[in-house]
Amino acid sequence: MKRLLALPLALLLVAGCNEDPPPQAEPPGPVVHTDTGDVRGIVHPDRRVFNGVPYAAPPVGDLRWAPPEPAKPWTGERAATKPGSACPQNKNAIANLASSNEDCLFLNVTTPKSASPEQRKPVMVWIHGDGAIGAGDQFDPARLAVTGDVVVITFNFRLGVFGGFGFPGLEHSGTIGLQDQRAVLRWVQRNAAAFGGDPANVTLFGVSYGATATSAHLMSEQSRGLFHRVIMQSGFTLMDMPAGATYPGLPALPWYGWTTTKDAETQGQVVAKQLGCKDLACLRKVPAPKLLAVPQVMNIFQPYALGNDQLPPDPDKALAAGNFTEVPVLSGTTRDEHTTFVAFFRELAGSPVTAAGYPELLRTAFGDQAAKVAAEYPLKDYPTPARAWAAVITDRMWARSQLRQNQLLSAKNPLWFYEFADRDAPLDIPFPKGYDPGAWHAGDVSYLFPDSKSTAAMRPDQVALSDTMIRYWANFAHRGDPNGTGVPEWKRFSGPGSVQSLAPGKIAPVDYEQEHRLAFWRSLEPK
């Protein structure tokens, strides 16, 4: 994850004086009038930045687990020079970020210097991943905004138990985080023009949990008209999970990333019992740190609930029936999605994948078809058992569901399909020593939000790939098509052979179906 660092530069010219010069005031930053008050940001040579802008009221007290309320207007100028508090979350091995502050519904705006109410730019609204950790300011949009000539908005939304909680009698159980995101999109419609953004050209994009949230807005009638293009990076809209595929001991799940309202409310009752509460009034008085300490919610994302006034009961049926917003789509995965999950939920968790244990993993996940899977993915073909298991689940869970999702979306929407394939991408999360993650889940994010640290870790050909990806994403935001001057041609998706592989020095179509052995996986499906 990336942090945006604003470092003021003071140039002091002193002549003929032995005393320390008096402190010099920084030049005033730009002021923009929003519908709740004026905000003063930071001016850089190539961009303007406004951090910590409230987009909704603090969701505290009776507003915990309530849909976002309008932010309270203020008088005078509000400093927009620092990000607002991250939403409540526990620190973990991936992110050194912890918060118990529920007053967290803030957004950040980065605009190219030329953006103005008269010269409006496309707006790109980023939903970060994970669902239990993270914050908008962890991503540096400077190069995307400046090189892409777009306005970029990052933001915080309620996470984990605060965003996906369900309970009997709670209206909108399991959809609160989704409604926070929609509140940002509505804020954009009201305020983007003042920052030099075009509210009639909004691209909603996200990674992992954020990409699945983006697909939720595609399917939700309440979000229609609030965005005009979508980009989904490694989402799991139609992904089921074989037993033990992600977490040891976890049974097979029909959805990875979704739940039902009933199941969300049942889980909420378990949490309430742990806290000694019988009703919502009691739960709303539980201090945030105590709520975060409940084992059922610690660092675990809460899936969004299906089958309510926000989301359909079955995403697969909704996409198959064409019940989604008609907008251009850019969607894809990384080449080795599941290596990240094997690293953190097995290798680092004390349950490493071994040669002796590999057959049992296959039996647990695939039952009487395990022998066929073992023959298709023999250990001898992989450097380690961990990589063999990661290959199995990458193909079965990720590639299989991504292809079906994009096939269904492309029946109605123009769609461009990619695969990020840099197997030597810089690492910004702590993988086990000696572990080779390949083109890992979310490894493409630093190519779109590069900061000085990630750029310094890149080879020249990787920097060139980052520049090309930024141009693809920005072209898509401008015109609904990633193609443009100075980038390799990217054909619109028309089948598994028209997937664009994004690798250093090798940007070209790849046969996604063959690469991920999807004909084999289809052969195992019930007839």
Side-chain angles (χ1 to χ4, degrees):
M1 290 193 273
K2 311 289 175 271
R3 289 190 179 276
L4 178 61
L5 301 177
L7 303 178
L9 175 64
L11 179 61
L12 303 177
L13 301 178
V14 182
C17 182
N18 294 324
E19 298 178 356
D20 290 335
Q24 302 294 307
E26 294 183 27
V31 177
V32 170
H33 180 71
T34 76
D35 63 344
T36 47
D38 293 345
V39 292
R40 182 180 292 277
I42 304 169
V43 62
H44 295 267
D46 57 357
R47 66 195 187 279
R48 300 181 304 161
V49 178
F50 303 83
N51 286 325
V53 180
Y55 69 85
V60 299
D62 289 343
L63 294 183
R64 179 186 279 181
W65 301 312
E69 293 284 334
K72 184 179 179 180
W74 58 85
T75 58
E77 292 176 1
R78 180 186 177 103
T81 55
K82 296 180 180 179
S85 172
C87 285
Q89 57 195 278
N90 290 312
K91 181 171 65 174
N92 69 10
I94 296 177
N96 186 21
L97 184 66
S99 173
S100 59
N101 186 3
E102 293 180 71
D103 182 3
C104 64
L105 300 185
F106 300 98
L107 57 79
N108 315 296
V109 184
T110 301
T111 78
K113 199 68 174 292
S114 60
S116 69
E118 297 74 33
Q119 190 175 350
R120 298 178 185 180
K121 311 293 184 181
V123 180
M124 300 187 73
V125 180
W126 172 251
I127 307 179
H128 70 75
D130 190 273
I133 57 174
D137 66 279
Q138 300 295 292
F139 302 86
D140 184 349
R143 273 183 56 194
L144 179 58
V146 174
T147 302
D149 198 31
V150 294
V151 173
V152 183
I153 294 175
T154 66
F155 64 96
N156 304 343
F157 57 96
R158 280 173 280 185
L159 303 167
V161 69
F162 295 90
F165 186 71
F167 195 78
L170 175 62
E171 191 176 6
H172 306 297
S173 278
T175 67
I176 295 303
L178 191 72
Q179 295 192 56
D180 288 346
Q181 297 157 15
R182 188 180 298 122
V184 172
L185 292 171
R186 288 175 173 152
W187 184 95
V188 167
Q189 290 301 305
R190 300 192 308 271
N191 294 291
F195 291 85
D198 183 357
N201 185 1
V202 176
T203 296
L204 183 63
F205 71 134
V207 65
S208 190
Y209 187 84
T212 304
T214 299
S215 74
H217 293 290
L218 263 181
M219 294 183 289
S220 178
E221 292 185 6
Q222 287 88 337
S223 297
R224 291 183 183 171
L226 298 177
F227 58 89
H228 312 92
R229 328 195 192 288
V230 299
I231 301 174
M232 296 184 287
Q233 301 171 213
S234 300
F236 23 88
T237 310
L238 302 184
M239 195 162 76
D240 65 330
M241 191 185 77
T246 300
Y247 304 95
L250 196 65
L253 297 174
W255 301 112
Y256 185 80
W258 308 110
T259 188
T260 65
T261 300
K262 180 180 178 181
D263 286 346
E265 292 178 348
T266 298
Q267 175 68 10
Q269 289 175 300
V270 173
V271 171
K273 186 175 181 180
Q274 291 278 333
L275 294 166
C277 286
K278 295 182 179 180
D279 55 31
L280 282 168
C282 173
L283 285 164
R284 283 181 165 135
K285 294 176 182 176
V286 175
K290 187 175 180 180
L291 190 53
L292 286 169
V294 176
Q296 282 81 5
V297 302
M298 288 185 66
N299 295 322
I300 299 174
F301 76 81
Q302 303 290 310
Y304 293 131
L306 298 168
N308 45 55
D309 64 348
Q310 301 290 314
L311 292 170
D314 187 322
D316 198 305
K317 290 181 180 178
L319 296 192
N323 294 332
F324 51 85
T325 301
E326 193 169 345
V327 294
V329 177
L330 192 155
S331 176
T333 60
T334 69
R335 175 69 180 81
D336 305 294
E337 289 281 4
H338 211 66
T339 55
T340 304
F341 299 84
V342 172
F344 285 92
F345 301 128
R346 289 197 178 274
E347 303 300 295
L348 288 176
S351 299
V353 180
T354 64
Y358 184 61
E360 183 57 32
L361 287 174
L362 296 178
R363 282 192 293 271
T364 299
F366 306 112
D368 58 8
Q369 296 177 327
K372 294 180 181 179
V373 179
E376 187 72 18
Y377 296 83
L379 285 173
K380 65 181 179 60
D381 287 357
Y382 300 91
T384 64
R387 282 302 298 265
W389 177 241
V392 169
I393 303 303
T394 291
D395 295 354
R396 165 59 180 78
M397 273 179 58
W398 296 87
R400 176 173 167 269
S401 64
Q402 185 74 197
L403 178 60
R404 175 164 174 76
Q405 169 201 279
N406 288 354
Q407 287 172 329
L408 293 176
L409 288 173
S410 66
K412 178 178 170 181
N413 293 356
L415 186 143
W416 286 262
F417 192 160
Y418 77 91
E419 179 177 74
F420 177 77
D422 186 355
R423 285 180 150 170
D424 195 28
L427 307 179
D428 61 5
I429 57 177
F431 283 99
K433 187 176 181 180
Y435 182 86
D436 178 14
W440 49 283
H441 177 72
D444 52 346
V445 173
S446 63
Y447 284 64
L448 296 164
F449 294 92
D451 60 15
S452 58
K453 182 179 177 181
S454 61
T455 302
M458 291 180 180
R459 304 186 309 262
D461 60 343
Q462 292 174 317
V463 173
L465 175 60
S466 171
D467 290 340
T468 299
M469 289 175 62
I470 285 173
R471 292 186 183 280
Y472 276 146
W473 266 238
N475 287 344
F476 184 79
H478 279 272
R479 297 180 292 278
D481 185 328
N483 290 288
T485 304
V487 294
E489 180 187 8
W490 185 345
K491 294 182 179 179
R492 179 172 163 174
F493 177 67
S494 59
S498 57
V499 177
Q500 190 87 327
S501 177
L502 304 175
K506 191 177 181 181
I507 298 176
V510 65
D511 190 327
Y512 192 80
E513 183 174 48
Q514 182 181 42
E515 185 179 67
H516 292 286
R517 311 184 196 201
L518 298 183
F520 165 75
W521 290 106
R522 276 199 304 275
S523 74
L524 302 185
E525 295 174 1
K527 302 301 182 185

